[in-house]
Amino acid sequence: MSGKVRNYYAGGNTARGFHSLYASNLHGLDRLFILKGGPGTGKSSLMKSIGSYWSGEGWDIEYLHCSSDNESIDGLIIPALSVGIVDGTAPHVIEPNLPGVVEEYINLGSAWDSNMLRSHKEEIAALTGEISSAFQAAYSTFAQALKIHDDWEKIYIENMSFEKCDALTAELMETFFSHIYLNKKGEVRHRFLGAATPKGPRDFIGNLTEDLPKRYFIKGRPGTGKSTMLKKLAQAAEDRGLDVEIYHCGFDPNSLDMVIVRELGFAIFDSTAPHEYFPERSGDEIIDVYERAVTPGTDEKYAYEIKEISKNYAGKMKEATSCLARAKSLHDELEAYYISAMNFDIVGELKDKIQSELEQLAQKD
């Protein structure tokens, strides 16, 4: 029987630039292979191949997806082996703490023909510069969208009872934790459940919550305290010694979108656009913050303002996504130069070297 595959993002294209949460997810591994090499050198394919093999052998795995390429992954973790493989090139540069002991560089650049690449130096340099500009344009436009979103939030903040929201949070804490205190330090992982990608927003809520008996869907509006509620619940779980998965917002990493406490079998998440879900199975429950804490009639009173803000926000998000799509298109052109210069037989040998070590570790277990 195949092992479970868990999908998430550890890095994202956000309104605050590229934001990395890799350190949190790679922390504590006994072995980490850091792949080095340019675009098109087979890093994602190598990780997918190894992941597919171990999943097929019944081992649970985690895929760290790439926010800049919907078809690629940036990392693979096999928790039971305490092993990870990660793309260590920009923008998610991984610095080793115990090189040679825990971390080991795998140089896929050893498989390329440098002379062939040098013959295209000008084209590669030009494309690299254009890609960087496209990403900067995306980040700048996301930042503009965030300012518009702040105006959206202001409407509800001014029509919100935070006392009622605090009371709701206290109710949830009692429901979730009651008098639970474990005699251990909780393990906390910071991740993204979704990301802004070249194909628009994507998320893995379904995959991340599929085996949880209880799911709580927070409904509300911008500025209604959803993220603050999640931060308080995450802190309460950590304070009680529980392991916590904290999922940040792929648009604004300072905000939270979901908290999972697998030891207690629940997930609670912001279930509004762009990751809007509705109950579909036993154990699903809606938590309506708007109903509980916002002045009745606020939507209607500010309907015109909200419509204009929503339209402007959507326009900026669409513009930023087009910048990411342009970066992806340029990156594909850049990859073509490297692919043509690669000897993938050598990449296969490097993959086999990693696979051999993983098999030795599995035998020890």
Side-chain angles (χ1 to χ4, degrees), residues 47-67:
M47 290 185 284
K48 284 182 177 180
S49 177
I50 292 177
S52 178
Y53 172 82
W54 287 94
S55 174
E57 290 294 306
W59 296 73
D60 294 347
I61 65 171
E62 298 176 2
Y63 283 134
L64 285 61
H65 286 256
C66 176
S67 57

Side-chain angles (χ1 to χ4, degrees), residues 32-52:
L32 178 63
F33 297 95
I34 303 173
L35 306 182
K36 291 292 188 178
T41 52
K43 299 184 295 293
S44 177
S45 296
L46 183 154
M47 290 185 284
K48 284 182 177 180
S49 177
I50 292 177
S52 178

